[in-house]
Amino acid sequence: MFICNAALRNKEMRANCSSSSACPANSSEEELPVGLEVYGNLELVFTVVSAVMTGLLMFSLGCSVEIRRLWSHIRRPWGIAAGLLCQFGLMPLTAYLLVISFSLKPVQAMAILIMGCCPGGTISNIFTYWVDGDMDLSISMTTCSTVVALGMMPLCLYLYTLSWNLEQNLTIPYQNIGFTLVCLTIPVAFGVYVNYRWPKQSKIILKVGAIVGGVLLLVVAVAGVVLAKGSWNSDIILLTISFIFPLIGHVTGFLLALLTHQSWQSCRTISLETGAQNIQMCITMLHLSFTAEQLVQMLSFPLAYGLFQLLDGILIVAAYKMYKRTLKIKHRIKNPALRVEARFKKKSTSPKETSAFLE
């Protein structure tokens, strides 16, 4: 998720480190590098922009959720269970195998492992909408993975770092997780209510919100990468891992969903949910757990991962749209009567619905 919760992160950092002199984030006399200072100064701006953008986006996506279908996923949570297995089973294991395969430094290895143990991000919800996925399942998975992360993040990190000699304690950003849940559930609940009361208007809100949210998401992602360029390093191994990691998540998530006999719509949804991680939660945990010198070697990975998961999502959406368009063309060639019917519908379309909505 791309919420940038600076205030909560600073409070938690002070609370965790005020009573412990061994905490690496407690070095108040330590001078931050230029890139990290820029990141800190811009964090408050991104907090407001990201929170507002996320709220509006989740409200518009909530307008696609039907109470009946949402309840069916909760009553028979096989799709949610498959998604959680991918999120906290496959992704941490993939991160651990990548760390072993590339023989990384301990600090860099921790950045990759923390990313693999984070819950899903809301960027997957908008990509799910664009590929005609199951929005009820997508939002349910994002919410459930964030709740389950309260226990699964520390458990996964503990299990996979048992053989590592860590010099510092890892700090789980519980306040950030709680803030994420609030910004996720409240706007979605309003969207569900609007869809229940005004179904026609909710469709218009959904289309407008998806387009505007996608544009704002792209702008904030590019601006964040450019403005935090001082935090980047030219480690080709980290860039390579940040490129293949989300791809592995998408492929393995799709295959596991397929093996558990999920529908094609659910397979696309679980695939996107698996590869899309909560970038901001990873960055917050790195800031809480490591020193400024260590962050210089680590911070480029979540930034690059966020950029590549955005590019991967756009490519998946583009490929799906091309595939869908090809199927429509083939279907029209086989059934010429459909073209005549489509032209007739275009001519008979009246602006009654638009004028009713404006009124």
Side-chain angles (χ1 to χ4, degrees), residues 284-322:
T284 301
M285 188 169 177
L286 294 179
H287 274 280
L288 290 172
S289 305
F290 297 93
T291 63
E293 285 77 9
Q294 292 171 325
L295 284 175
V296 173
Q297 305 177 53
M298 306 170 77
L299 201 56
S300 62
F301 176 74
L303 293 174
Y305 188 100
L307 178 62
F308 284 125
Q309 81 171 6
L310 180 64
L311 294 177
D312 290 343
I314 293 174
L315 290 176
I316 290 172
V317 172
Y320 174 77
K321 294 296 183 184
M322 290 178 63

Side-chain angles (χ1 to χ4, degrees), residues 23-290:
C23 181
N26 194 30
S27 51
S28 58
E29 298 179 358
E30 188 177 29
E31 292 185 0
L32 292 174
V34 176
L36 297 180
E37 287 181 358
V38 173
Y39 179 83
N41 294 333
L42 292 171
E43 197 168 12
L44 182 59
V45 177
F46 278 102
T47 300
V48 179
V49 175
S50 298
V52 173
M53 180 184 67
T54 303
L56 293 175
L57 178 60
M58 295 312 298
F59 167 71
S60 62
L61 294 177
C63 291
S64 66
V65 176
E66 297 179 7
I67 297 177
R68 179 179 54 82
R69 295 185 61 187
L70 182 62
W71 174 247
S72 67
H73 283 300
I74 296 173
R75 189 178 57 182
R76 303 184 64 184
W78 304 119
I80 297 175
L84 292 177
L85 179 60
C86 294
Q87 195 71 61
F88 296 106
L90 291 179
M91 291 301 282
L93 178 61
T94 301
Y96 184 76
L97 294 177
L98 287 173
V99 166
I100 294 176
S101 302
F102 286 89
S103 302
L104 296 171
K105 300 176 183 178
V107 173
Q108 296 174 333
M110 283 307 306
I112 296 170
L113 188 59
I114 289 173
M115 177 63 73
C117 295
C118 283
T122 54
I123 187 176
S124 60
N125 302 131
I126 191 168
F127 285 141
T128 299
Y129 171 76
W130 284 338
V131 298
D132 301 326
D134 190 337
M135 289 302 301
D136 305 273
L137 176 61
S138 178
I139 292 177
S140 301
M141 281 183 58
T142 303
T143 306
C144 290
S145 68
T146 306
V147 173
V148 173
L150 292 169
M152 288 303 298
M153 274 188 74
L155 178 61
C156 290
L157 289 171
Y158 172 76
L159 292 176
Y160 284 105
T161 57
L162 275 176
S163 59
W164 298 357
N165 296 321
L166 296 178
E167 297 179 357
Q168 66 281 322
N169 295 322
L170 298 177
T171 304
I172 306 298
Y174 290 109
Q175 291 185 358
N176 185 274
I177 295 174
F179 184 77
T180 299
L181 280 173
V182 171
C183 291
L184 178 65
T185 55
I186 294 178
V188 168
F190 277 110
V192 173
Y193 177 75
V194 170
N195 188 31
Y196 176 74
R197 289 294 303 272
W198 304 284
K200 291 184 178 179
Q201 287 80 353
S202 66
K203 292 180 181 179
I204 300 175
I205 295 173
L206 177 61
K207 291 180 180 179
V208 174
I211 295 172
V212 174
V215 173
L216 289 176
L217 174 64
L218 184 61
V219 170
V220 170
V222 173
V225 170
V226 172
L227 293 174
K229 61 183 178 182
S231 303
W232 290 82
N233 60 50
S234 56
D235 194 330
I236 190 65
I237 296 179
L238 277 183
L239 293 177
T240 303
I241 294 175
S242 63
F243 173 70
I244 63 176
F245 195 2
L247 287 176
I248 294 174
H250 291 313
V251 173
T252 55
F254 185 87
L255 292 177
L256 182 60
L258 202 60
L259 289 174
T260 54
H261 305 288
Q262 300 294 320
S263 64
W264 286 107
Q265 190 182 32
S266 297
C267 288
R268 295 195 298 270
T269 303
I270 294 173
S271 172
L272 288 168
E273 287 286 337
T274 304
Q277 298 293 87
N278 192 321
I279 305 300
Q280 184 54 39
M281 195 172 293
C282 176
I283 293 176
T284 301
M285 188 169 177
L286 294 179
H287 274 280
L288 290 172
S289 305
F290 297 93

Side-chain angles (χ1 to χ4, degrees), residues 313-340:
I314 293 174
L315 290 176
I316 290 172
V317 172
Y320 174 77
K321 294 296 183 184
M322 290 178 63
Y323 170 74
K324 189 177 177 182
R325 184 178 179 84
T326 303
L327 287 182
K328 282 185 178 180
I329 293 173
K330 289 182 178 179
H331 193 54
R332 286 179 181 177
I333 292 174
K334 290 181 180 179
N335 301 281
L338 291 176
R339 285 182 285 181
V340 179

